[in-house]
C-alpha cells in the first residue's frame, strides 16, 4: 500500500462502502488492474468496485478528501489508459451492469458498467437498438460520453443524440439526474464532453426498431480505385449504409487463401440497417468495386456485429485520429503507396460521417463536429522500444498526408497527446462552454484523469 493511503483510511471507507475494495495484496488485484491498452503497468493504491450510487459517492469523497488521483473505469478501452492511475483510486464500475429495457416506451436504463455488447443483446431481444461503436467489450459510459460513432450513427445519430438522461455522482458527492429539464447545462456537457464532469452511473437511451441488419466483413484488394470508390459509395449512399474501411495487411484469416495473408487489403466491416429487401441494391456499388477476396456480408442479428473481445488482447500501437472531407483517387493512390513503405501491422481506417449526425446543430451537444464528412484513424503496432520512433514518424507523416484542413478530433480516439489535441476535440465556443460548466460542477478539477477540460477561471 502506498504511503498516501493508510490502512485506517481504507477501513473507514469500508464502513461506508457495500461493494468490493481491492488492494495490492489481494489475490485478484493483478487481474483487476489491467486495462485494454498494452505497454502500461498501472498500480492503483485502491480499486473500488461499487454496487450502487452510494458506493460511488463514498469513493469519490474518499479520493477527494485523501487527495488521491482518481480514475473512473467502465470498459477500460481508453486509448490513453485513463481508466486507471498509479498510486490513486480507481472507481471500477464493472459490477454495475444492469440493463432495463422498456419495450413499450422504446427506452432503456443502462448502468455504466455494462458493455456495448451486453446492452445491444438486451435491446435486440425486443427488436430494438441504440447505436454504439463497433466493439462489444467497450463500456457503455465511456463511448457515450465521448459521442459514440458506430454502425447506426448515419441512420439514427450518435449515441449522445439518443441519450435522454443520465445519473451522475458529482465531485461533492451529490447524485443528480441530468436531462433536458434538470441540470440542462450538465446534460449538454455530458453529451460529448467525456468524463470531465462526474461519475455517470446510469444512462437512459432512446431505442429504435431494428429486427436485424445485413452486415459482416467484405475483403477487397487494396487498389486506389477500390479505396476511393468505397469511400465515395458510402458518402453518396443511403444513411442506413455504413462501413468501417480498414486498409491494412490481411490477417491470417482461415477463410482467406494463404497467399493473401499479409498482403495489403481493404478489410471493411459493413452494415446495412435498412429494409432487408433493399440490402442487395444498397450494397451493389461496393460489391461492384472488385472481385471480393471474401464476402461475409449477410443477414444477421445486430448483436452479431459486436463479438466478444479477447481479454488477453492488449495492443501497443502509435495511433492518431483526424477528420477530413473525402478521399479522391490521387489521395487513395498516396495512401496505398504510404502503407507499402512500412512493414508490420499498420492501418489507415476511414468511416463516413454525415447523415443523421450532420442534421444536429453543432452547438446542441458537446460533440461539435457535425459538418465533418469522414473520420480517419492511422495506427502502427509497436513490437518493441526500438521501432516506436520509426512507427511514430510513419503515423505522423500519414496523418499529414490525409490532412485537409479540418483541425478537429474525436475525443474517444485520442491517446495521451497533450492539451492542444484535447482543444481540437472541442473547437471554439464548445471549449469555453465546457469549461464554464466544469467550473460549476467540478471547480477543483477532481475529475482530471481524462481528456481534460479545466474549469474556467
Amino acid at each position: 500500500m502506498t504511503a498516501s493511503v493508510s490502512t485506517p483510511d481504507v477501513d473507514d471507507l469500508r464502513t461506508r462502502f457495500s461493494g468490493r475494495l481491492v488492494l495490492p495484496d489481494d489475490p485478484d488485484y493483478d487481474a483487476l488492474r489491467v486495462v485494454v491498452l498494452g505497454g502500461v503497468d498501472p498500480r492503483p493504491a485502491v480499486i473500488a468496485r461499487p454496487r450502487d450510487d452510494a458506493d460511488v459517492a463514498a469513493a469519490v469523497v474518499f479520493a477527494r478528501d485523501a487527495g488521491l488521483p482518481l480514475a473512473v473505469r467502465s470498459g477500460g478501452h481508453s486509448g490513453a489508459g485513463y481508466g486507471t492511475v498509479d498510486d490513486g483510486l480507481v472507481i471500477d464500475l464493472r459490477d454495475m451492469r444492469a440493463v432495463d429495457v422498456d419495450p413499450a416506451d422504446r427506452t432503456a436504463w443502462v448502468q455504466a458498467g455494462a458493455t456495448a455488447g451486453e446492452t445491444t443483446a438486451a435491446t435486440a431481444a425486443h427488436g430494438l437498438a441504440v447505436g454504439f461503436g463497433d466493439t462489444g467489450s467497450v463500456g457503455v459510459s465511456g463511448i457515450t460520453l465521448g459521442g459514440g460513432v458506430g454502425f447506426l450513427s448515419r441512420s439514427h445519430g450518435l449515441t449522445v443524440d439518443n441519450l435522454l438522461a443520465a445519473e451522475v455522482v458529482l465531485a461533492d458527492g451529490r447524485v443528480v439526474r441530468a436531462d433536458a429539464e434538470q441540470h440542462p447545462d450538465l446534460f449538454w456537457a455530458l453529451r460529448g464532453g467525456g468524463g470531465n464532469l462526474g461519475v455517470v452511473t446510469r444512462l437512459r437511451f432512446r431505442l429504435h426498431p431494428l429486427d436485424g441488419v445485413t452486415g459482416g466483413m467484405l475483403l477487397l484488394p487494396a487498389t486506389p480505385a477500390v479505396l476511393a470508390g468505397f469511400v465515395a459509395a458510402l458518402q453518396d449512399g443511403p444513411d442506413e449504409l455504413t462501413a468501417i474501411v480498414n486498409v491494412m495487411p490481411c490477417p491470417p484469416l482461415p477463410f482467406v487463401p494463404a497467399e493473401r495473408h499479409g498482403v495489403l487489403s481493404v478489410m471493411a466491416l459493413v452494415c446495412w440497417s435498412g429494409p432487408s429487401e433493399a440490402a442487395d441494391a444498397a450494397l451493389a456499388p461496393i460489391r461492384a468495386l472488385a472481385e471480393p477476396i471474401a464476402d461475409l456480408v449477410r443477414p444477421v442479428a445486430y448483436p452479431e456485429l459486436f463479438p466478444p473481445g479477447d481479454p488477453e488482447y492488449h495492443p501497443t500501437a502509435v495511433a492518431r485520429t483526424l477528420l477530413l472531407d473525402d478521399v479522391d483517387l490521387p489521395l487513395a493512390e498516396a495512401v496505398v503507396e504510404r502503407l507499402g513503405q512500412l512493414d508490420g501491422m499498420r492501418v489507415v481506417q476511414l468511416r463516413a460521417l454525415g447523415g443523421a449526425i450532420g442534421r444536429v446543430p453543432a452547438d446542441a451537444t458537446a460533440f461539435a463536429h457535425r459538418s465533418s464528412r469522414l473520420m480517419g484513424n492511422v495506427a502502427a503496432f509497436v513490437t518493441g522500444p526500438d521501432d516506436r520512433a520509426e512507427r511514430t514518424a510513419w503515423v505522423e507523416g500519414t496523418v499529414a498526408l490525409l490532412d485537409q484542413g479540418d483541425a478537429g478530433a474525436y475525443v474517444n480516439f485520442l491517446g495521451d497527446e497533450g492539451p492542444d489535441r484535447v482543444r481540437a476535440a472541442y473547437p471554439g465556443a464548445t471549449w469555453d462552454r465546457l469549461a464554464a460548466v466544469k467550473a460549476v460542477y467540478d471547480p477543483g478539477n477532481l475529475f482530471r484523469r481524462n481528456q481534460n477540460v479545466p474549469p474556467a477561471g
Side-chain angles (χ1 to χ4, degrees), residues 248-323:
M248 59 187 287
C250 180
L253 302 168
F255 49 84
V256 174
E259 62 268 20
R260 295 292 314 185
H261 295 174
V263 177
L264 281 181
S265 305
V266 172
M267 191 171 77
L269 300 175
V270 177
C271 177
W272 165 255
S273 59
S276 58
E277 63 272 15
D280 286 344
L283 294 167
I286 57 176
R287 281 178 163 151
L289 291 169
E291 181 69 25
I293 301 165
D295 185 347
L296 305 184
V297 180
R298 67 198 192 285
V300 295
Y302 183 54
E304 290 189 41
L305 299 187
F306 294 84
D310 179 359
E312 302 304 317
Y313 181 57
H314 301 287
T316 302
V318 180
R320 297 289 185 270
T321 182
L322 77 161
L323 301 171

Side-chain angles (χ1 to χ4, degrees), residues 19-20 39 41 45 55 82 151 193 221 225 229 241 244 258 278 285 296 303 311 350-351 368:
R20 299 174 60 198
D41 187 29
D55 279 354
Y82 289 156
F151 291 120
L241 177 64
I244 304 168
L296 305 184
L350 297 161
R351 305 178 188 222

Side-chain angles (χ1 to χ4, degrees), residues 91-420:
I91 297 178
D92 184 340
L93 297 165
R94 286 178 290 171
D95 289 341
M96 298 175 62
R97 56 201 316 152
V99 181
D100 298 315
V101 181
D102 184 339
D105 197 37
R106 292 183 180 173
T107 61
W109 275 105
V110 182
Q111 284 190 307
T115 65
E118 291 167 345
T119 306
T120 299
T123 59
H126 303 278
L128 300 168
V130 60
F132 293 112
D134 54 80
T135 304
S137 57
V138 165
V140 162
S141 59
I143 190 169
T144 300
L145 297 178
V149 176
F151 291 120
L152 301 183
S153 296
R154 285 170 49 83
S155 55
H156 296 305
L158 302 171
T159 311
V160 291
D161 299 331
N162 296 284
L163 183 65
L164 300 174
E167 292 181 354
V168 192
V169 177
L170 301 176
D172 59 8
R174 285 183 297 147
V175 182
V176 302
R177 179 174 295 186
D179 55 30
E181 286 77 38
Q182 306 171 83
H183 302 280
D185 53 344
L186 176 61
F187 186 53
W188 173 89
L190 292 172
R191 287 175 291 162
N196 278 283
L197 284 307
V199 183
V200 172
T201 58
R202 283 209 309 165
L203 307 102
R204 184 173 183 245
F205 294 107
R206 177 191 302 111
L207 306 178
H208 302 272
L210 188 67
D211 287 332
V213 299
T214 299
M217 182 188 297
L218 180 62
L219 196 64
L220 300 173
T223 68
V226 166
L227 176 56
F230 208 132
V231 172
L234 294 176
Q235 292 184 304
D236 296 338
D239 293 349
E240 295 84 0
L241 177 64
T242 191
I244 304 168
V245 180
N246 299 289
V247 192
M248 59 187 287
C250 180
L253 302 168
F255 49 84
V256 174
E259 62 268 20
R260 295 292 314 185
H261 295 174
V263 177
L264 281 181
S265 305
V266 172
M267 191 171 77
L269 300 175
V270 177
C271 177
W272 165 255
S273 59
S276 58
E277 63 272 15
D280 286 344
L283 294 167
I286 57 176
R287 281 178 163 151
L289 291 169
E291 181 69 25
I293 301 165
D295 185 347
L296 305 184
V297 180
R298 67 198 192 285
V300 295
Y302 183 54
E304 290 189 41
L305 299 187
F306 294 84
D310 179 359
E312 302 304 317
Y313 181 57
H314 301 287
T316 302
V318 180
R320 297 289 185 270
T321 182
L322 77 161
L323 301 171
L324 60 160
D325 291 328
D326 55 34
V327 176
D328 59 14
L329 188 57
L331 180 56
E333 290 173 345
V335 167
V336 172
E337 180 183 358
R338 182 80 181 170
L339 282 158
Q341 295 173 0
L342 191 72
D343 60 3
M345 184 55 70
R346 65 279 189 198
V347 59
V348 172
Q349 181 187 91
L350 297 161
R351 305 178 188 222
L353 303 177
I357 301 172
R359 291 193 285 271
V360 175
D363 61 355
T365 65
F367 181 97
H369 306 291
R370 300 293 180 169
S371 62
S372 297
R373 303 184 68 228
L374 287 173
M375 179 187 300
N377 291 290
V378 180
F381 288 73
V382 176
T383 60
D386 294 340
D387 66 358
R388 178 173 287 275
E390 176 193 22
R391 295 183 177 278
T392 299
W394 182 87
V395 167
E396 292 176 348
T398 307
V399 169
L401 177 71
L402 291 166
D403 186 3
Q404 296 174 353
D406 188 330
Y410 178 41
V411 71
N412 276 349
F413 287 166
L414 287 180
D416 187 3
E417 301 173 34
D420 288 346

